[in-house]
Amino acid sequence: MNDRLRQLRVKHKMTQEMLAEKLNVSRQTVAKWENSESVPDVMKCSDLAGVFGLELEDIAVLFLSKQKQEDYRPSGKYIFGRCVLSDHKIKIPQEAMDIFRIKEGDELLLMGDVKQGLALMPISAIDDFVKEFQNAPVLEVDDHENSN
């Protein structure tokens, strides 16, 4: 399964020993990762990401099969990987298009929050989205507590 880790290591012209030294682990540990006998902890995944110039989620995906990703991923939450902006266009990964039933030619609404980032939503889903907000219970705030 972890031919991808081996390929990354070889692409960066590293032996298992060299990678192990950078990560402060044994060569045998790297071999076990590459042979799918064990997986690195989150800190070592972060270190691997740094060594290869990748994001943590890119490294984590190397160690999780599709089924394991489903087991560990919170319901309804996805990490599709990187998207690249090129010539004012974003290429959406096919898996995302399939899951969210987006097809070529669909209009998407781009929303943003300075603190949380950007989001895309099919224009056709806006009505349902707005209705959810309209039907959500209103939280009442005690004005007395706010004045103190």
Side-chain angles (χ1 to χ4, degrees):
M1 176 179 94
N2 269 317
D3 286 336
R4 293 177 289 170
L5 177 59
R6 184 177 291 113
Q7 289 168 354
L8 266 176
R9 178 179 55 76
V10 170
K11 177 182 173 187
H12 285 82
K13 297 178 176 33
M14 282 189 239
T15 63
Q16 287 181 343
E17 188 69 42
M18 293 165 70
L19 180 57
E21 191 174 305
K22 287 182 178 286
L23 299 171
N24 199 27
V25 298
S26 70
R27 185 204 57 78
Q28 291 84 355
T29 298
V30 172
K32 286 181 179 182
W33 295 341
E34 289 184 357
N35 293 323
S36 298
E37 294 173 27
S38 68
V39 296
D41 64 25
V42 172
M43 293 307 295
K44 290 302 175 193
C45 282
S46 179
D47 293 344
L48 278 166
V51 167
F52 296 128
L54 299 170
E55 299 294 322
L56 179 58
E57 61 266 18
D58 297 327
I59 292 295
V61 167
L62 293 177
F63 297 100
L64 296 176
S65 66
K66 284 284 186 199
Q67 183 56 50
K68 285 184 181 176
Q69 288 178 47
E70 292 293 320
D71 292 344
Y72 291 106
R73 179 179 46 76
S75 179
K77 307 290 184 190
Y78 298 88
I79 297 175
F80 295 107
R82 295 182 186 179
C83 293
V84 176
L85 179 65
S86 176
D87 194 27
H88 299 282
K89 296 176 184 170
I90 297 173
K91 176 137 176 65
I92 299 172
Q94 187 62 49
E95 183 181 15
M97 292 181 68
D98 293 344
I99 289 170
F100 291 97
R101 295 186 207 111
I102 300 169
K103 56 190 179 309
E104 291 290 328
D106 282 355
E107 290 186 353
L108 304 174
L109 175 65
L110 177 64
M111 299 173 282
D113 180 303
V114 173
K115 293 180 182 175
Q116 295 189 12
L118 298 171
L120 289 173
M121 176 180 281
I123 295 285
S124 60
I126 297 300
D127 287 340
D128 292 336
F129 185 76
V130 170
K131 285 177 189 172
E132 280 186 53
F133 274 94
Q134 289 173 335
N135 295 330
V138 176
L139 297 176
E140 303 228 1
V141 178
D142 185 351
D143 287 335
H144 178 70
E145 289 179 16
N146 287 337
S147 63
N148 290 335

